[in-house]
Amino acid sequence: MLSMPPNHLYHMPEHQASHLALGIYRVAVITATFNAAQHIMSCIKSVESQTHPNVFHVIVDGKSDDQTINIVSRSQSERLLFISEPDNGIYSAWNKGIGLINADWYLFLGSDDILFPNAIQTLLEQSLASNSINLVTAKAMLLSDHGAFAGILGGPFSRKVLWHHMPIANSSTIYHKRLFSDSFPYNEALKSAADYSFLIKQRKSIVASHFSGVVSCMKLGGVSNKKPILSIIESYQERLRYYSYPYHFFLLIFFVLIRARQAR
């Protein structure tokens, strides 16, 4: 394991960078943690088990006060990068993670989520359809706190769907580095919808591909599930920020129809 000081940019060793000549892309899996001792080892093992040979796991911890730091520190993987310091929430951790490592593709994995062994390899193969592709999506299996099947999340990226809800599952999506031209791509003022806001902001530049299978498992209980009202408010706020005025009218009609249906 490599323990990273803040604002340090990690460079791939030469023997790993040489794989790029063979067309093997560098992939960074970024995980934000805070008091994640219960699940973090399963998350780490799922990243270590990837069949793609050039995967790095960047864990950005918000100064946990449980056993998270001790558990992560036990890992002997040379492909695990770890920092622990106070931060401003999950999107602050994501921004730090992007800044810590140069990669071709990035995936954001929750501390209680797991990747299937072929996940990253499958997503990368989907990206080969065109050099212009900068976002690859797939499906995620949702599990309850007790491990029971709770549904399937995630679909293809669609601008038509994006205007009223988040269409993709982060744990089953890879983002090309071209999408992260800003130093801090995720708005840290948002606590629940910065990933949604980022997609809206980038919607015109996204060229997406979709794999119709399931490549990860996600536990219910993310910020948007724990604080649904906050998620709704922030999502609506970001729609108003980035969409033109005709959108506001159609959004109003949409909510009126939903309310009318619920009142039946």
Side-chain angles (χ1 to χ4, degrees):
M1 183 188 73
L2 300 174
S3 183
M4 303 292 293
N7 301 319
H8 180 81
L9 185 62
Y10 181 77
H11 296 280
M12 302 289 176
E14 289 184 5
H15 72 279
Q16 291 160 346
S18 66
H19 286 305
L20 294 177
L22 302 177
I24 298 179
Y25 296 103
R26 295 169 290 179
V27 180
V29 177
I30 297 175
T31 298
T33 61
F34 182 73
N35 290 347
Q38 183 177 356
H39 303 291
I40 188 60
M41 185 52 69
S42 295
C43 175
I44 291 172
K45 288 181 177 179
S46 79
V47 177
E48 291 178 347
S49 72
Q50 290 304 297
T51 57
H52 184 69
N54 212 8
V55 178
F56 279 71
H57 196 182
V58 183
I59 298 179
V60 183
D61 182 70
K63 207 64 177 178
S64 292
D65 53 19
D66 65 353
Q67 292 298 309
T68 299
I69 296 174
N70 290 334
I71 292 171
V72 176
S73 297
R74 293 177 200 155
S75 174
Q76 300 299 313
S77 173
E78 294 182 358
R79 295 175 179 269
L80 176 62
L81 288 67
F82 177 61
I83 63 169
S84 182
E85 61 185 18
D87 58 33
N88 193 33
I90 184 172
Y91 301 116
S92 171
W94 286 12
N95 283 334
K96 287 181 185 179
I98 294 169
L100 281 171
I101 187 168
N102 283 320
D104 299 295
W105 294 89
Y106 295 84
L107 183 147
F108 300 96
L109 188 68
S111 60
D112 55 356
D113 301 337
I114 62 171
L115 292 173
F116 295 166
N118 291 328
I120 290 176
Q121 186 69 25
T122 299
L123 293 170
L124 288 175
E125 288 173 356
Q126 196 70 29
S127 75
L128 297 177
S130 170
N131 289 332
S132 62
I133 291 174
N134 52 23
L135 185 80
V136 182
T137 63
K139 297 177 182 179
M141 181 186 299
L142 292 176
L143 300 177
S144 71
D145 290 338
H146 303 292
F149 175 76
I152 299 294
L153 179 68
F157 175 82
S158 166
R159 294 180 183 86
K160 292 181 179 179
V161 173
L162 185 65
W163 75 269
H164 59 79
H165 74 266
M166 175 74 162
I168 69 173
N170 280 311
S171 67
S172 296
T173 298
I174 55 173
Y175 298 75
H176 196 272
K177 62 183 178 182
R178 292 192 301 269
L179 290 173
F180 297 136
S181 56
D182 295 337
S183 298
F184 301 98
Y186 290 100
N187 183 353
E188 296 179 18
L190 301 174
K191 303 304 177 185
S192 178
D195 48 349
Y196 179 55
S197 174
F198 173 80
L199 290 175
I200 295 176
K201 182 180 178 181
Q202 296 284 355
R203 66 190 185 280
K204 293 182 180 179
S205 61
I206 289 176
V207 180
S209 180
H210 180 67
F211 173 69
S212 59
V214 175
V215 301
S216 71
C217 283
M218 296 176 62
K219 285 285 187 70
L220 293 173
V223 176
S224 59
N225 290 318
K226 292 179 179 177
K227 299 180 179 179
I229 301 302
L230 175 63
S231 179
I232 291 171
I233 292 173
E234 289 189 352
S235 297
Y236 182 71
Q237 168 188 315
E238 295 309 293
R239 293 184 193 110
L240 293 180
R241 183 193 305 271
Y242 290 111
Y243 285 103
S244 60
Y245 286 105
Y247 158 80
H248 301 166
F249 171 76
F250 288 113
L251 183 65
L252 177 61
I253 297 298
F254 173 76
F255 278 113
V256 168
L257 291 174
I258 292 296
R259 287 297 182 88
R261 184 175 181 178
Q262 292 174 340
R264 291 178 183 176

